[in-house]
Each structure stands twice: as C-alpha cells, then as structure tokens.
Amino acid sequence: MAATTVYKEPAPRVANTENPLESMMSRFNIAAEILGLDDTTYEVLKAPDKQVIVHLAVMMDDGKVDVFEGYRVVHNTILGPSKGGIRYDHNVSLDEVKALAAWMTWKCAVVDIPYGGAKGGIICDPTRMSVGELERLTRAYTVSMKDVFGPDRDIPAPDMGTGPREMAWIMDEYSKTVGQTASAVVTGKPLVMGGSLGRTEATGRGVMVSCLAALAKLGMQPEETSVAVQGFGNVGSWAAKLLFDKGLKVKGVSDISGAYWNENGINIDEAVAYKNAHNGRLEGFAGADPMDPNKLLTSKVDVIVPAAVEDVITEHNAHDIQARLIVEGANGPTSASADPIINQKGILVVPDILANSGGVTVSYFEWVQNKQGFKWSLDMVTDRADRIMNDAFEKVYATSQQYNIPMRIAAYVVAIDKVAQTYKYRGGY
Ligand code: GLU
C-alpha cells in the first residue's frame, strides 16, 4: 500500500475578517441579553454538546490511501434529536461546523419543529473526486459516526457538496450497521427510497415565501421588484426560479464561474436549463452579460439574495449595498460586523435562520413520512411548509416590532426563548 497522505487543498474561499462562530456568538449574546437569559442556560446553550473528529482512511482510484478529516458537531438536543446537513468542502473547519450546528438549533426552534441542531463536514474537494472515491469516503464517515447518527438521535441531511446520492449511501451503510432498513436516519434521500416530494426545492421555496412576506411589509409589489441572487446551486437556482415565477425581475445571478447581468431581467427557466446542460455552470450563458462578481451584491436592485457561502457581506461592502431588502438563502452570509452598517442604512434583513429554514422543515416532513411509512402529496408538503414559513416570519417580525430590534436578533430571541423555556421544563442534573 502506498504512503498515507493528509488531504489538503489550497486557497480559502473568502478573505475573512471574523469566523462564522464569532458571528453566530455575537448575535446569540445580544439576544441572550435582551431575553435576560440566566447564566446557567446561557452556559448550556453557548457550547456544543458533542464534537466528534474522525480521520477517514480511504482508498483512492490510483491505489493510494488518503486520510480525510471529518466532523460531526451536535450543538444541542433540548428540543429533540439533532438535525443538520453534512458539508463536503475543502475549507470546512471545526469552528465553521460548530457555528453551523448552533444555527441548526436556532433554525429548528424558529420554525418550531421538534429537533435540536447538528452539522457535519469533511475536508475534501468533491469536484475533484470520482464517484467511487466519494462513495467510499461517505460510507467510511457513516460507519465512524454510527454511534452518533440514529433516527431518534441525530439525523443528517445534504448541505454544500452533498445531495441525494450521498444521503442514499448514508442510509444504506447505516442500515447495514444496525441490521435493518433505517430510512428515517437521514433526510434529503432520492424520491424512490423514501425522499419527500418537494424536498429538493424546499430551501429555495422558503426563501421565496419569506421574500414575498417581507415585500408585503415594505409595501412593495413583486412585479415591480428587481433582485440579484448570489449562488446558483440548489438554494440559489430554486430561489431565483420561484421568485422569477412570482414576477420579480431577476437582474443578476452568479455561480462559481462568474456573475451575469441582464438589465431587462434574466429568463431563469433558460438559465436553469443552460446550467443543467453545462455541467452545473452558467459560464457561456447567452441570456445575460458577464459582470464583476464582487459587484453583484452592491448592484442596483431592490432585493439581494446571498445563497452561496458565509461572510460575503462584511464591513467592507455593506456600506455600498443599494438594496432595501436582504433575504439570506445561505447560512451566515453576513458577518456580525456588517450588521450595524446594514441596520443603520435601514435595510430589512430576513436572516438565514428564518429565510433558509424551508429545507429543514421539509426534512422534518420526510422524517415524519418515513416514520409513518406513508407518502404525502406535493400539495400537502408545500401547503404545510409555506404555512410554517409564513407563521415563523410573522412571529419573528412581531418580535422585532415588540422589542424594536432587527429581524436577525428577533429570530435569535424567538429561538433562544423556545429552547430556554423547554430546558427549564426538562431540567438538568
Ligand atoms: N443543510 C440544510 C440547512 O442548512 C438542511 C438541513 C436539514 O435538512 O437537516 O438547513
């Protein structure tokens, strides 16, 4: 066997001034202060319950064995089994996964579904691995996490770099280790093996629903509203498509290949068809002109939807934002240092833990269906998910009015309050 090497990749994806964990904690602290959270509960909620780090030796196609570092962080299980995706990316770090795990706790609490929060990650570049390598890596990760995962313990799902294919491998491998089919151990599965109708578009749909709810508060008409969407992966492309269907003019979109602009509005159906026919990339799309990707979020539009990675709105570009509304499709796209600038400019922000919670909401429906052994219709899924999103939006909006605080902090207040109240009933040692 050839020498073992630790898999490493170059170049961080953004020049970062603060890490997502710090950003998450600073909002948590503000909300805790507003709620007058007692010291014990603060200490309980501040740090994750469990952090598992594994090293996975995986045979690559060339016969060499590479060792990959993987994580699963369970932030909290006060509301129920922990829930959260698994990220495959070369920039994954433990701090990032810790922040993402805590965001899952708050997200599930905001939409009032009975889950705690968790997140997983593996440092790897899935775009440079073969299907066989990815399968071996995913199965190795699943076996190493067999005591963490479980249908009533910790339920993974897709995140950046993973999708239904990886979830199918996790379901299969976990089922083998427990000796029975365990569909409910993971969500975001392919439809044929217990996935839910509506799960693929769920996060983008929730972004659309919360965007329309926010436009109504601002007295803006969808047909007279322009939008730029950063990211054209699962979340961004579905958000763009559904906003386009509602009559918004999507003037700008971007993906890893660059950013694209059309002053008259991009036909998103054509953009999606182009992307699907061109390896998932928009490069060469004729329905829009290339533009500087760094200018997309500060372009002249009414709404921006950051739906890619963390920390893309920082103190460096927040001053230049022209939009009246930001709807956060990504987790943590705005660093905490940008919050005061955005608030001072009077921009309304539908924060990540509210705006992108449609994904985990339909994950919850998938889990319920698996446990029921019964399949829901698409209408049933979307009606219920839309209702949950709208109710959560109204609750967070009302809280922001009540305390005179931005919607981001209001979302944390709603979430932390729910978890803290439940903790009081459950009690500790
Ligand atoms: N990864 C998604 C998120 O960040 C979905 C998580 C889930 O469905 O459990 O919300």
Side-chain angles (χ1 to χ4, degrees):
M1 195 180 286
T4 295
T5 53
V6 174
Y7 193 84
K8 279 227 164 58
E9 275 293 336
R13 71 184 160 237
V14 279
N16 223 344
T17 44
E18 55 196 306
N19 77 20
L21 187 62
E22 288 167 2
S23 273
M24 189 281 297
M25 279 313 295
S26 68
R27 279 82 171 245
F28 171 75
N29 289 339
I30 297 171
E33 183 93 30
I34 290 171
L35 278 169
L37 200 68
D38 63 274
D39 290 349
T40 313
T41 314
Y42 178 84
E43 288 302 318
V44 168
L45 299 182
K46 181 176 99 170
D49 285 358
K50 193 188 292 181
Q51 305 173 49
V52 182
I53 304 176
V54 291
H55 286 99
L56 306 163
V58 176
M59 173 85 76
M60 306 309 276
D61 290 348
D62 62 6
K64 244 176 82 218
V65 171
D66 276 0
V67 178
F68 296 82
E69 186 157 303
Y71 313 103
R72 184 73 180 170
V73 174
V74 174
H75 173 257
N76 193 281
T77 56
I78 291 172
L79 295 186
S82 50
K83 187 84 190 78
I86 299 169
R87 179 169 289 200
Y88 285 5
D89 188 73
H90 50 79
N91 284 303
V92 166
S93 69
L94 185 59
D95 264 4
E96 180 188 30
V97 178
K98 278 163 75 173
L100 289 161
W103 275 323
M104 287 309 303
T105 302
W106 312 137
K107 206 182 289 190
C108 295
V110 164
V111 283
D112 203 7
I113 56 178
Y115 286 141
K119 201 81 174 196
I122 301 180
I123 306 173
C124 66
D125 184 352
T127 63
R128 297 219 214 140
M129 293 171 71
S130 70
V131 175
E133 289 168 347
L134 284 168
E135 178 169 355
R136 292 192 291 279
L137 176 64
T138 305
R139 288 185 186 277
Y141 178 75
T142 307
V143 170
S144 72
M145 294 295 173
K146 72 174 177 16
D147 297 327
V148 180
F149 295 164
D152 293 302
R153 212 165 28 218
D154 177 41
I155 307 132
D159 198 76
M160 258 168 58
T162 60
R165 180 182 65 183
E166 286 73 20
M167 301 308 114
W169 292 329
I170 292 173
M171 186 278 220
D172 181 67
E173 198 60 39
Y174 181 85
S175 294
K176 281 180 197 151
T177 68
V178 295
Q180 60 185 49
T181 298
S183 303
V185 73
V186 60
T187 61
K189 297 179 291 295
L191 262 183
V192 289
M193 55 181 289
S196 177
L197 289 165
R199 176 62 185 88
T200 310
E201 62 270 40
T203 312
R205 188 173 175 89
V207 169
M208 178 273 285
V209 169
S210 51
C211 179
L212 294 192
L215 288 179
K217 298 287 179 207
L218 293 171
M220 293 163 72
Q221 300 304 321
E223 308 76 33
E224 289 159 19
T225 301
S226 59
V227 54
V229 180
Q230 183 191 52
F232 215 64
N234 178 268
V235 180
S237 65
W238 274 106
K241 150 111 188 104
L242 296 168
L243 290 169
F244 172 71
D245 287 350
K246 292 286 174 192
L248 282 89
K249 194 178 274 188
V250 186
K251 291 190 174 180
V253 294
S254 71
D255 68 2
I256 38 164
S257 73
Y260 306 90
W261 183 267
N262 184 336
E263 188 56 33
N264 299 317
I266 299 169
N267 182 321
I268 299 296
D269 289 330
E270 287 173 9
V272 169
Y274 184 90
K275 168 196 149 164
N276 291 341
H278 292 85
N279 242 330
R281 294 163 75 103
L282 285 167
E283 201 163 13
F285 174 58
D289 299 319
M291 71 174 285
D292 179 355
N294 294 319
K295 301 240 162 77
L296 187 75
L297 295 175
T298 52
S299 59
K300 189 144 183 44
V301 282
D302 302 310
V303 184
I304 52 175
V305 178
V309 291
E310 293 115 45
D311 290 314
V312 291
I313 299 173
T314 67
E315 75 266 36
H316 303 299
N317 62 357
H319 285 290
D320 301 325
I321 293 175
Q322 302 189 60
R324 288 178 66 189
L325 171 64
I326 302 174
V327 186
E328 296 184 335
N331 290 309
T334 305
S335 66
S337 59
D339 284 350
I341 303 169
I342 290 167
N343 297 337
Q344 206 244 327
K345 284 168 75 87
I347 301 170
L348 182 64
V349 179
V350 186
D352 47 5
I353 56 173
L354 171 62
N356 73 32
S357 57
V360 74
T361 300
V362 178
S363 272
Y364 167 57
F365 294 164
E366 178 173 332
W367 180 79
V368 170
Q369 290 170 74
N370 294 155
K371 285 185 158 267
Q372 288 180 327
F374 182 72
K375 227 171 166 55
W376 299 2
S377 69
L378 181 60
D379 280 350
M380 194 153 151
V381 171
T382 48
D383 286 356
R384 288 183 171 182
D386 290 359
R387 198 176 335 132
I388 286 182
M389 288 304 300
N390 277 313
D391 287 354
F393 182 94
E394 292 303 332
K395 185 160 190 185
V396 171
Y397 190 81
T399 306
S400 80
Q401 303 288 85
Q402 184 193 340
Y403 291 94
N404 196 20
I405 50 176
M407 279 189 80
R408 183 188 309 288
I409 301 303
Y412 277 79
V413 166
V414 167
I416 295 170
D417 190 37
K418 174 160 169 83
V419 179
Q421 281 197 47
T422 311
Y423 179 64
K424 278 217 172 65
Y425 281 113
R426 290 187 68 157
Y429 293 106

